[in-house]
Amino acid sequence: MKFSYLHVNEGRLQNTLEQMAKIGATSGGGVQRLTLSNEDKLARDLFVKWLYDLNLEVTIDEMGNIFGKQQGKNPILHPVISGSHLDSQPKGGRFDGTLGVMGTLEVLKTIQDLDLETERSIIIVNWTNEEGSRFAPAMVGSGVWSGALKRDWVYNRKDIDGKRFEDELSRIGYKGSIPCQKRPVYCYYEYHIEQGPLLERAKKTIGVPKGIVCLHWYDVYLEGEANQVGPTPMEGRHDALCAAAEMILKVNTLPNRMGGNMVATVGEIQNHPNSRNIIPDKVHFTVDIRSWDDDHALSAWKLVRQNFEDIAARRGCTIRIEETWRVDRSPFDKKMIHEIKTITDELGYPHLDMISGAGHDASYMNQVCPTAMIFAPSMSGRSHVEIENTSWKDCEAGANVLLHAILHSANEKRVKSKLRTH
Ligand code: HGY
Ligand code: MN
Ligand code: MN
């Protein structure tokens, strides 16, 4: 059945996005909805209300992942899942994650408006802690669900104030009783903003990533010697902040030194005691390395780790390193990618083949079932900032592609899940 004349309701999608953007709204036009914060709770409460308004079967699992199920005609067929995340970065954007959840909600509303019954059930999902900013690592909701991360290890993760993940999940009332574990899924779609400049530069409406890069996260802890800045001579100091400064520049030059396509960033740092007239004795900083080539990223880490150890030794600082998190690169399902491109052609949206440099829950879902993503352009390529923006027209276009992709998959009667063709 061809649905090319079907489309979502742009105004209604814009309205849900605007309502969600009010929760945790920041003065600069963005949102702050840190994982398991009060703002995250409010966003979850609103989302759950909207799921009940659609008479969906709502379940919340022990990681706080929220699912809404629209029953299909044939319960023996595995469901199609689509969604993303409602948590945000500190001073983050209104579209990162939220577009994928609201886009899927709009697809379900459109399907209901048109009284379309699908063979397969369709499940919408809000994954807990995709961002990994307050509680590292990222994507823990989908990570535990897919079996890649252990629930209790995540439960014991602490934020910078020493608050435990599990305690905060209980505090906001979203520690569900349903076990967080994978179940048979026919396929997974995630609609998301590109978070980069390529679509805008190429003047394309839809991004079709072939997959997501690998993400490797590390935590580095340095200990030197504090002292009064005045009487302490320069030579013989064990200044942890200077050691960190040298190491941070080694991270920055790493992609160049390694060659190939890679990014490496130090995004977070804490300096102790952080007083202008005390030589710093403790520093913690993070390292984020990403590449389409997992081994390339691992060799880069080996090189820069050696750099760190040499610098620490020379500066008389001790160093402790936590290899916090690694998720492999995720090449998406070729058949689903082909189908998405066919749909963009039918709907008349120019599309661009790309790779996602941003991490998404789709990385973990790709380990469980055939997975693909749909990107909408980010204005001036900005994201994880308050000025993150995507035009309503582009939001609607991506949601239309999502609608047709979900309808296509939800009406495929193949009993066995599709063989993944990486
Ligand atoms: O780090 C990322 O790319 C994602 O925002 N978690
Ligand atoms: Mn995101
Ligand atoms: Mn993000």
Side-chain angles (χ1 to χ4, degrees):
M1 193 158 92
K2 274 290 155 229
F3 302 95
S4 51
Y5 54 90
L6 286 190
H7 57 84
V8 299
N9 180 324
E10 179 188 342
R12 187 170 57 189
L13 173 58
Q14 177 180 337
N15 179 272
T16 52
L17 284 163
E18 285 177 332
Q19 282 194 60
M20 203 40 97
K22 285 184 193 138
I23 300 177
T26 60
S27 53
V31 292
Q32 175 147 322
R33 287 201 297 263
L34 290 179
T35 293
L36 309 186
S37 63
N38 294 335
E39 295 76 16
D40 186 13
K41 170 182 170 40
L42 292 173
R44 289 163 171 267
D45 293 347
L46 180 58
F47 177 56
V48 167
K49 177 189 171 309
W50 285 341
L51 297 182
Y52 281 121
D53 291 349
L54 288 178
N55 297 313
L56 301 183
E57 180 196 325
V58 179
T59 51
I60 299 168
D61 71 19
E62 56 195 351
M63 281 296 295
N65 297 316
I66 302 170
F67 302 92
K69 182 177 184 178
Q70 177 149 305
Q71 198 58 47
K73 282 189 285 192
N74 193 338
I76 63 150
L77 296 177
H78 295 157
V80 172
I81 300 190
S82 174
S84 193
H85 62 94
L86 293 172
D87 67 313
S88 84
Q89 287 285 331
K91 302 244 180 310
R94 295 171 294 142
F95 296 88
D96 176 1
T98 310
L99 181 60
V101 183
M102 297 301 107
T104 305
L105 193 69
E106 177 52 35
V107 164
L108 291 175
K109 288 177 183 171
T110 304
I111 289 172
Q112 287 193 7
D113 288 349
L114 299 162
D115 260 341
L116 291 175
E117 262 204 299
T118 53
E119 291 297 327
R120 298 174 185 279
S121 299
I122 301 168
I123 296 175
I124 182 174
V125 60
N126 166 45
W127 295 110
T128 296
N129 191 29
E130 189 282 337
E131 291 294 0
S133 176
R134 179 185 177 197
F135 291 98
M139 298 137 58
V140 296
S142 54
V144 172
W145 190 90
S146 64
L149 298 176
K150 292 269 171 274
R151 182 202 65 186
D152 292 346
W153 178 78
V154 176
Y155 272 6
N156 286 315
R157 298 298 285 175
K158 289 186 177 149
D159 70 5
I160 197 158
D161 301 321
K163 291 197 177 125
R164 281 181 69 249
F165 185 95
E166 180 186 14
D167 300 337
E168 285 294 281
L169 186 62
S170 303
R171 183 185 67 82
I172 66 165
Y174 277 90
K175 184 182 168 190
S177 51
I178 311 264
C180 178
Q181 58 193 21
K182 60 187 161 194
R183 293 170 174 76
V185 178
Y186 184 62
C187 66
Y188 174 74
Y189 287 101
E190 185 159 355
Y191 173 31
H192 204 284
I193 50 171
E194 174 203 348
Q195 300 185 286
L198 302 181
L199 284 173
E200 188 174 69
R201 273 188 207 150
K203 298 191 179 16
K204 304 279 186 180
T205 310
I206 302 291
V208 188
K210 71 172 183 179
I212 302 172
V213 296
C214 72
L215 290 89
H216 295 176
W217 282 10
Y218 306 99
D219 285 83
V220 181
Y221 299 88
L222 299 173
E223 194 147 349
E225 189 178 83
N227 215 331
Q228 225 278 16
V229 297
T232 313
M234 291 310 287
E235 72 283 354
R237 288 186 175 195
H238 305 305
D239 183 327
L241 191 55
C242 286
E246 279 198 62
M247 294 174 189
I248 291 166
L249 288 177
K250 285 292 180 193
V251 173
N252 180 255
T253 58
L254 189 59
N256 240 351
R257 291 185 287 147
M258 286 297 296
N261 195 351
M262 172 185 290
V263 290
T265 316
V266 172
E268 183 183 342
I269 186 167
Q270 284 88 27
N271 177 49
H272 173 276
N274 216 37
S275 162
R276 68 181 66 217
N277 41 12
I278 302 176
I279 300 168
D281 65 342
K282 288 190 188 69
V283 171
H284 160 247
F285 65 85
T286 62
V287 180
D288 175 311
I289 298 175
R290 304 185 186 198
S291 168
W292 182 245
D293 178 339
D294 298 69
D295 292 337
H296 194 222
L298 290 172
S299 329
W301 170 243
K302 202 162 157 240
L303 171 62
V304 83
R305 179 174 184 143
Q306 188 54 57
N307 297 154
F308 290 176
E309 275 153 15
D310 298 346
I311 293 164
R314 179 162 40 81
R315 286 186 172 271
C317 294
T318 59
I319 181 167
R320 179 172 67 83
I321 291 174
E322 189 183 315
E323 298 192 343
T324 307
W325 179 59
R326 285 184 181 142
V327 57
D328 294 346
R329 84 170 184 198
S330 320
F332 291 149
D333 184 84
K334 288 200 174 73
K335 285 187 193 143
M336 290 174 75
I337 289 173
H338 176 76
E339 184 55 36
I340 290 170
K341 289 186 194 174
T342 307
I343 291 167
T344 58
D345 294 344
E346 275 176 7
L347 297 178
Y349 299 135
H351 73 257
L352 182 70
D353 297 331
M354 53 204 313
I355 289 175
S356 176
H360 304 284
D361 294 299
S363 287
Y364 279 130
M365 287 308 285
N366 192 50
Q367 296 177 10
V368 173
C369 66
T371 293
M373 291 190 77
I374 297 158
F375 278 176
S378 292
M379 288 182 183
S380 41
R382 301 293 303 278
S383 180
H384 280 191
V385 291
E386 292 174 282
I387 58 160
E388 178 183 282
N389 201 358
T390 296
S391 74
W392 299 123
K393 222 67 234 86
D394 286 343
C395 288
E396 186 214 0
N400 282 330
V401 176
L402 183 67
L403 167 69
H404 290 272
I406 288 176
L407 284 172
H408 172 84
S409 298
N411 285 306
E412 281 190 311
K413 291 189 185 156
R414 215 183 264 111
V415 177
K416 273 247 157 287
S417 290
K418 282 188 276 190
L419 287 179
R420 267 184 301 181
T421 50
H422 291 325

